[in-house]
Amino acid sequence: MSQQSVSHKAVKEFLAETEEIVEQLGSQLADLADMADRGELNPDLLNSIFRGAHSLKGLAGMFGYTDITELSHNMENLLDILRLGKIKLNPNLMEVLFGSHELLTSLVRSVEAGPSAARTSEISACISRINACLSDHPETPTDVSPILQLGLDGRVLGALTEYEEHRLLYNLNRGNTIFSVHTSFELTTFDQDLGQVSDILKTCGEVISTLPSMGNNQETHIDFEILFGSGRSLDDVKNLFENNAIYVIQLEARGNPETGIHPPPLQPVHSTDVSLHVTAQQQPSAMSVETSSLAADDATVSAKSMSRTVRVDIGKLDDLMNIVGELVLAHSAISGVAVRMRNEGFSRMAIDLNKAAKGLERKLTDLQKGVMEIRMIPVGQLYEKMSRIIRKMSREQGKKVELRFFGADTELDKLIVEDISDPMMHIIRNAIDHGIETPEKRATLGKDEKGTIRIASYQKGNHVVIEVEDDGSGIDLDKVKAKALQAGLITDVTAISDREAIDFIFMPGFSTNDKVSEASGRGVGMDVVRNNIAAVSGIVDVETSKGVGSRFIITLPITLAIIKALIITCAGRTYALPITSILESLLLTDADIKTVERKEVIQLREQTLPLLRLESFFGIHRSTERLAEFYVVVVGVAEKRLGIVVDDLLGQQDIVIKSLGESFRRFRGISGAADLGDQRTILVLDVGSMINETMRAGN
Amino acid sequence: MSTKKTILIADDSPAMRALLVSTIEVLGDYRIVEASSGFEALRLLPREHVDLILTDINMPDINGLELISYLRNNSNYLTVPVIIISTEGSLKDIEKGKRLGANEYLIKPFNPDRLQALISSYLCICP
């Protein structure tokens, strides 16, 4: 590999990593602020934030981004004295940290976007705010004598970092006991085994340092000495472990370990018998360490994910998906050949070929599933971003908001997650800006001072549903109707239902708010929200109740990459309809169609179903007569239903949706094109936007 | 039999590792093994014949100081040269690392020439 290409790789890594660090910093800062509000401080979290700023500084320095280096360096200084307990965390300091992070984020983003105007004044203002916090603390040398009295082994003492010394002192000052925990593990599995021991220890104290040393049999084993601070007694700590190959010694500040003897030589522990005994009341928390996927402040967890994940460019996955798609098409071609062979009398060979094709199909399905799974990421990643914005906005607006997240592990295609991030952000901004009332107002309304925003996601069939719900003032539909009347959209406020009124908020430029806020503007953007969600074949629905709150329901397909489609024909053209949005298909005659208010509808099980004719939707001229018998494909997204009138159903097929390119992006009713495998390219219908168009036209 | 010398890089930052790799690669024919944490370094050590170690101090699980302490208390790695790569914020820790037996240290941002000179002096590829 040439030097140049490696450097290019390094720069790419740099961009990805800095982005990752600032994102993580943001959510961790928000967590820190939340804990501070409750009067708590998690040293692991604070240390992790420090490490983030520290890494950022080192990286930016090496890659020559002086402004990022400078800012993160100052942040690091502040975080350092904070984690070393030299200053106390207060709201002002938190504001400074939030402000610095925001600037840092924009600096990192502008690296990716390319060179931009220098922001020296902004940076120096931010740095002087940081320095103002720094100057508050007197430089007092730390008294480390209590540590020396612990009678620690010189080897352990020599390897303590400044931070670890501080944590040790902190524990001593709190009156905690310091224990030295000795373990020995097999080299092949020591990370999991040690992780288990640390997790158990963390349920009742703080793991201060972990020092490895040569095992009895250095080819196969490795020993560890863990310094552990806790309010528990020696027996309590010993009882945490069933395994008698884990030795616990209590260190006393008088200079002699309680046992007064050196630990006996350790018997190597076989990984399978590390049965760790956890007492009943500790079990839940120990379990939660293992199962919680969002335990961001756990250093061991992050360490594991670091070494076991691979960062892959989404473009590479797209390429892979395309190849899988082509393979699927190639398979269809082979099956076609098998059918032709049978028809032409080569039945024996046709059967063999068919068998082989079936085997290929099974493996292809596995491959397709595998590639698809790689693209899937938990919606929880989006939650972190949202929680940051909600906390920041509610702080700025003096509103109290409690966040509730559900279904963080629901998985969705990475690209969809990225594309819905902005619309979701907008919905949330609206909820805080226009929904949740001020604490005072809420108190007078008899509501809890603290508003609640609930974000939940779950899988529903082939779709993922994300709900954003607030318990604010709800949308004032009378006001919406009045505005619609004023804008000339309707002639009579009594003529439209509440459901129809809600649809107005998604119209371009429609707003009931006279004031413009910095965060979500004047409500401009709900049309953009709907369009952005429609762009990933999703649909957004609103339920609202005045004074009680609103709920936005976003329904999305799980993936856009490969889908099963129903191939249909209408007026001599062939289209693909994603099977995920099809509910049923009916064979009807003209007599089944009724006309209500000049709109064609059918009666389907007590419900009136609006119909859509593709030829009139796309403005196609029909050269042949309409057939007496035709099919209606009933499609639905979320709670909305529509019947699409088609001439014939040709069958089901796997298709790979390809984009039509930028120029046709806004083309209504079409989500892309697909190759049928027989040199025919057809258009894929976008059910979401068709339903939206029809509903809008129905108004 | 390969006569290539092996360098172990222990740093939790992929970008930093990539940068170190590209700095070392121009020097000549070295084999580079990368560890993204102290744990990974511990796991790699017995498997690889390591001739030189570059380590960060601030790493998750076990940190650079603990790694150096392990190396210097283990007859197998007693003489393997160790170069600490850290930032000026960790000066006290770097000092400790030197006392534990690290041979050299570099403070980020450092001049790649300096790293190359250090590596060449410890791992001289003689003609």
Side-chain angles (χ1 to χ4, degrees):
Chain A
M1 210 183 285
S2 75
Q3 155 77 359
Q4 205 169 3
S5 68
V6 177
S7 299
H8 177 67
K9 181 183 167 231
V11 172
K12 264 180 98 172
E13 288 279 8
F14 169 76
L15 290 176
E17 201 175 327
T18 45
E19 176 97 355
E20 211 167 80
I21 293 173
V22 289
E23 284 220 346
Q24 198 187 353
L25 268 181
S27 60
Q28 288 179 334
L29 279 175
D31 286 342
L32 187 71
D34 269 10
M35 291 193 97
D37 284 350
R38 296 196 297 267
E40 297 164 15
L41 188 71
N42 178 346
D44 278 353
L45 177 64
L46 190 53
N47 191 39
S48 177
I49 296 173
F50 164 80
R51 277 171 31 83
H54 176 86
S55 311
L56 200 57
K57 174 188 117 178
L59 275 176
M62 287 310 298
F63 284 83
Y65 293 98
T66 44
D67 42 1
I68 299 177
T69 317
E70 181 109 0
L71 184 56
S72 48
H73 169 63
N74 282 279
M75 257 182 106
E76 181 200 9
N77 281 347
L78 181 58
L79 287 162
D80 193 28
I81 58 164
L82 199 59
R83 75 176 181 142
L84 294 177
K86 291 177 184 168
I87 50 169
K88 292 257 173 293
L89 188 61
N90 58 44
N92 171 45
L93 219 154
M94 209 57 240
E95 275 315 307
V96 172
L97 286 173
F98 273 125
S100 318
H101 172 259
E102 202 170 318
L103 184 56
L104 206 52
T105 311
S106 71
L107 289 176
V108 167
R109 297 261 154 85
S110 63
V111 166
E112 261 176 288
S116 63
R119 309 171 66 171
T120 15
S121 63
E122 219 176 317
I123 295 168
S124 57
C126 186
I127 289 173
S128 53
R129 278 196 298 278
I130 293 175
N131 286 332
C133 298
L134 284 170
S135 61
D136 286 348
H137 94 98
E139 184 67 57
T140 45
T142 328
D143 177 21
V144 292
S145 53
I147 294 182
L148 299 175
Q149 285 168 11
L150 275 175
L152 279 172
D153 189 295
R155 209 172 49 83
V156 177
L157 200 59
L160 286 178
T161 60
E162 195 186 6
Y163 175 66
E164 287 166 345
E165 278 180 8
H166 160 70
R167 292 314 304 168
L168 196 52
L169 273 175
Y170 176 86
N171 270 281
L172 285 170
N173 291 340
R174 293 261 319 243
N176 283 345
T177 313
I178 307 297
F179 299 94
S180 162
V181 180
H182 295 252
T183 63
S184 180
F185 296 117
E186 271 185 37
L187 261 173
T188 44
T189 55
F190 75 87
D191 47 349
Q192 287 109 313
D193 298 338
L194 188 65
Q196 263 182 306
V197 172
S198 300
D199 286 350
I200 288 173
L201 287 173
K202 280 177 191 167
T203 59
C204 58
E206 182 181 349
V207 172
I208 298 164
S209 77
T210 309
L211 185 68
S213 62
M214 201 168 62
N216 255 0
N217 181 349
Q218 59 181 21
E219 300 301 318
T220 56
H221 283 74
I222 185 161
D223 293 356
F224 289 93
E225 181 172 352
I226 303 168
L227 275 190
F228 173 64
S230 169
R232 302 282 183 96
S233 72
L234 176 64
D235 281 341
D236 277 356
V237 178
K238 275 183 176 167
N239 283 336
L240 291 173
F241 306 101
E242 208 168 45
N243 193 314
N244 54 11
I246 294 175
Y247 289 97
V248 186
I249 298 168
Q250 183 175 336
L251 302 172
E252 300 248 46
R254 274 173 237 106
N256 288 315
E258 196 189 53
T259 54
I261 49 159
H262 282 287
L266 292 166
Q267 290 305 307
V269 181
H270 203 268
S271 73
T272 47
D273 39 66
V274 189
S275 49
L276 303 162
H277 170 70
V278 184
T279 51
Q281 86 260 26
Q282 286 151 358
Q283 212 141 18
S285 53
M287 287 299 287
S288 71
V289 171
E290 276 183 9
T291 52
S292 159
S293 57
L294 279 173
D297 53 340
D298 192 330
T300 11
V301 171
S302 67
K304 279 181 191 166
S305 65
M306 269 289 189
S307 51
R308 283 174 201 192
T309 53
V310 183
R311 209 183 279 137
V312 184
D313 190 331
I314 188 92
K316 285 188 188 166
L317 289 184
D318 281 342
D319 291 348
L320 208 55
M321 204 55 175
N322 269 332
I323 296 171
V324 175
E326 315 271 311
L327 280 175
V328 169
L329 297 179
H331 165 261
S332 307
I334 294 174
S335 299
V337 173
V339 172
R340 280 218 315 274
M341 280 173 75
R342 198 181 51 216
N343 293 344
E344 285 168 26
F346 303 98
S347 56
R348 245 195 104 98
M349 278 163 82
I351 289 170
D352 286 348
L353 186 59
N354 209 17
K355 225 184 246 168
K358 279 271 182 298
L360 180 64
E361 188 183 354
R362 269 196 297 276
K363 289 291 151 219
L364 267 177
T365 314
D366 290 348
L367 179 63
Q368 192 177 321
K369 219 175 119 210
V371 178
M372 216 109 92
E373 271 167 13
I374 302 175
R375 301 170 60 94
M376 296 296 186
I377 59 168
V379 181
Q381 292 197 2
L382 210 55
Y383 287 3
E384 282 175 32
K385 223 183 206 169
M386 302 299 144
S387 77
R388 224 155 53 224
I389 288 156
I390 297 175
R391 282 150 166 168
K392 181 169 168 274
M393 272 192 70
S394 49
R395 232 172 268 278
E396 279 168 5
Q397 303 198 4
K399 290 179 179 173
K400 289 187 179 164
V401 182
E402 189 187 341
L403 275 172
R404 294 209 186 135
F405 291 123
F406 298 91
D409 47 7
T410 310
E411 290 196 321
L412 204 55
D413 191 299
K414 160 101 176 154
L415 283 183
I416 299 182
V417 170
E418 267 174 15
D419 286 349
I420 59 156
S421 159
D422 283 349
M424 265 187 80
M425 212 105 92
H426 209 95
I427 292 174
I428 287 168
R429 286 195 166 129
N430 266 323
I432 300 177
D433 230 14
H434 311 304
I436 307 265
E437 309 90 338
T438 57
E440 301 76 38
K441 188 166 179 204
R442 289 182 70 90
T444 57
L445 288 169
K447 286 180 170 179
D448 187 349
E449 272 197 1
K450 218 179 209 179
T452 307
I453 291 182
R454 179 180 167 279
I455 305 181
S457 61
Y458 52 90
Q459 195 171 338
K460 192 177 171 187
N462 277 314
H463 287 90
V464 164
V465 181
I466 303 180
E467 296 182 359
V468 181
E469 189 179 357
D470 68 73
D471 66 346
S473 58
I475 299 169
D476 188 344
L477 292 176
D478 293 333
K479 212 168 164 186
V480 171
K481 288 178 191 171
K483 277 277 168 181
L485 185 69
Q486 204 182 323
L489 294 166
I490 48 170
T491 49
D492 182 4
V493 281
T494 54
I496 59 164
S497 68
D498 286 354
R499 268 221 80 74
E500 289 164 333
I502 287 177
D503 265 356
F504 284 124
I505 66 168
F506 291 108
M507 289 189 63
F510 191 89
S511 171
T512 58
N513 224 31
D514 303 320
K515 274 186 285 175
V516 181
S517 106
E518 188 195 346
S520 60
R522 194 192 294 230
V524 174
M526 283 315 279
D527 60 318
V528 181
V529 167
R530 174 175 275 184
N531 288 342
N532 284 354
I533 291 173
V536 286
S537 301
I539 197 163
V540 57
D541 230 337
V542 193
E543 288 168 7
T544 185
S545 171
K546 198 178 165 189
V548 183
S550 312
R551 188 205 322 239
F552 284 77
I553 303 151
I554 305 168
T555 310
L556 301 157
I558 291 177
T559 183
L560 296 173
I562 287 197
I563 56 162
K564 269 210 184 321
L566 178 70
I567 314 298
I568 54 152
T569 58
C570 184
R573 313 211 175 192
T574 310
Y575 299 98
L577 258 173
I579 228 104
T580 51
S581 39
I582 297 176
L583 303 169
E584 60 185 314
S585 49
L586 317 159
L587 183 62
L588 300 177
T589 59
D590 276 332
D592 297 311
I593 299 184
K594 297 186 182 67
T595 307
V596 177
E597 289 176 11
R598 282 180 289 141
K599 299 271 180 298
E600 286 183 315
V601 298
I602 56 167
Q603 205 62 28
L604 180 68
R605 288 185 290 272
E606 320 289 303
Q607 292 237 314
T608 308
L609 182 78
L611 291 187
L612 177 139
R613 289 194 182 267
L614 288 176
E615 63 262 42
S616 48
F617 188 85
F618 289 125
I620 308 165
H621 175 68
R622 185 183 271 276
S623 51
T624 52
E625 272 294 292
R626 273 188 194 163
L627 304 164
E629 273 194 335
F630 51 85
Y631 290 92
V632 167
V633 181
V634 183
V635 293
V637 182
E639 303 308 315
K640 296 180 178 168
R641 303 279 176 270
L642 179 70
I644 299 176
V645 183
V646 304
D647 294 347
D648 202 4
L649 310 177
L650 296 184
Q652 271 186 37
Q653 192 167 337
D654 278 327
I655 56 163
V656 181
I657 303 187
K658 308 249 165 125
S659 155
L660 285 178
E662 208 38 45
S663 7
F664 296 107
R665 205 171 62 87
R666 300 217 155 262
F667 206 83
R668 61 183 190 133
I670 301 290
S671 60
D675 183 353
L676 281 185
D678 53 2
Q679 269 87 48
R680 268 193 304 158
T681 302
I682 58 167
L683 294 172
V684 184
L685 301 180
D686 178 4
V687 172
S689 78
M690 286 181 131
I691 292 180
N692 279 338
E693 283 279 333
T694 313
M695 300 291 158
R696 205 177 296 175
N699 288 333
Chain B
M1 254 289 282
S2 164
T3 51
K4 275 189 198 176
K5 302 254 175 154
T6 302
I7 298 175
L8 171 72
I9 300 175
D11 198 310
D12 58 333
S13 154
M16 198 58 213
R17 291 199 305 273
L19 189 79
L20 289 172
V21 168
S22 65
T23 310
I24 298 167
E25 273 179 346
V26 265
L27 275 182
D29 217 4
Y30 290 112
R31 213 167 71 80
I32 302 169
V33 282
E34 297 179 43
S36 63
S37 69
F39 276 175
E40 221 176 302
L42 288 182
R43 213 167 326 125
L44 283 169
L45 277 167
R47 289 212 300 263
E48 312 280 344
H49 179 86
V50 175
D51 298 292
L52 182 132
I53 297 167
L54 302 177
T55 182
D56 183 18
I57 287 189
N58 261 286
M59 285 189 289
D61 54 59
I62 71 155
N63 60 45
L65 292 190
E66 286 156 350
L67 179 64
I68 296 168
S69 163
Y70 174 77
L71 294 168
R72 291 302 178 243
N73 284 288
N74 192 324
S75 52
N76 288 344
Y77 314 112
L78 211 55
T79 55
V80 180
V82 176
I83 302 173
I84 298 175
I85 293 177
S86 193
T87 56
E88 57 169 302
S90 315
L91 275 183
K92 281 185 188 164
D93 293 337
I94 291 174
E95 203 44 55
K96 267 198 151 174
K98 288 276 284 176
R99 275 205 298 270
L100 284 172
N103 302 64
E104 302 283 346
Y105 66 91
L106 284 175
I107 290 184
K108 287 185 253 185
F110 57 81
N111 186 339
D113 296 345
R114 172 94 183 106
L115 175 66
Q116 288 167 349
L118 278 178
I119 291 176
S120 302
S121 70
Y122 280 100
L123 302 180
C124 171
I125 304 177
C126 303

